[in-house]
Amino acid sequence: AWHGLPFPYTPLSLASHDNQLLVGTSGTFGGLRSVDSQGSQVYAGGADGAVRGLLGHAGRLYVGGAFGRVGSLQANRIAVFEAQGWRALGVGLDGPVLAYAEYGNELVVAGRFRGAGGVLSQGVLRWNGSQWQGLGDGAGNEVYRLAVQGGRLMAAGPLNDSFYSMQVQAWDGQQWQRLGAFQGDVNDIVTHGNLLMAAGGFSFVDTLAVDNV
């Protein structure tokens, strides 16, 4: 059965890390909070802006959003929290982070950015543990959601078209390929067995009439 937790703020992201439930929220409310049945508190010093992406992986917590500081560390929109505390990921990004995925044993981030430092890869970048690398020239636009299926990285984001407003693309390690154009919003994508599922508020995928999924 469902149980409620006391959290009087607007949640933007969720993750489980170090046996704690963590919630990303706006910088007004601390940016990053831990929550349990007793209430919530700012976690690890919080962030000074919105935390829209959280990922717990291999004992580390990756945090992304629209912030310039986590704890007492200056960090441009992305950072990692580990046993030694907060650590920046290179010079950070030039725009907000919205989503994460693990692809090819690397961290992939997506969002509203053009790149990191001198690495230009619009909407999507990968972190190899020590530096940022592009995926070609990027997705060509912002990327809102990521998924991995059959060795390919899937990315959903906006499309500049008079009829179709969103698209899903696939990166095979060498190049991007458009899988479909959507008339309406794509709110999420996920792998289900050997299928890629998309959900949102759309009525057409290419020329196929559909009902939101």
Side-chain angles (χ1 to χ4, degrees), residues 99-206:
Y100 292 107
E102 298 171 42
Y103 176 70
N105 296 318
E106 295 180 331
L107 174 72
V108 178
V109 299
R112 299 187 181 100
F113 52 76
R114 293 173 299 174
V119 180
L120 297 179
S121 182
Q122 188 172 14
V124 60
L125 281 162
R126 57 185 175 180
W127 175 257
N128 67 5
S130 60
Q131 62 183 359
W132 291 107
Q133 295 180 322
L135 284 78
D137 294 327
N141 212 323
E142 302 170 354
V143 174
Y144 299 157
R145 295 290 184 267
L146 294 171
V148 176
Q149 181 199 38
R152 297 192 296 174
L153 177 71
M154 310 296 180
L159 175 64
N160 299 325
D161 185 89
S162 59
F163 182 75
Y164 298 104
S165 57
M166 299 281 287
Q167 64 180 339
V168 172
Q169 301 181 81
W171 170 260
D172 63 5
Q174 300 294 326
Q175 62 185 358
W176 289 98
Q177 176 189 6
R178 182 187 294 174
L179 298 185
F182 293 72
Q183 194 277 316
D185 292 332
V186 177
N187 294 335
D188 211 351
I189 54 175
V190 67
T191 55
H192 178 65
N194 61 351
L195 300 176
L196 176 68
M197 309 296 295
F202 50 83
S203 53
F204 279 90
V205 182
D206 295 329

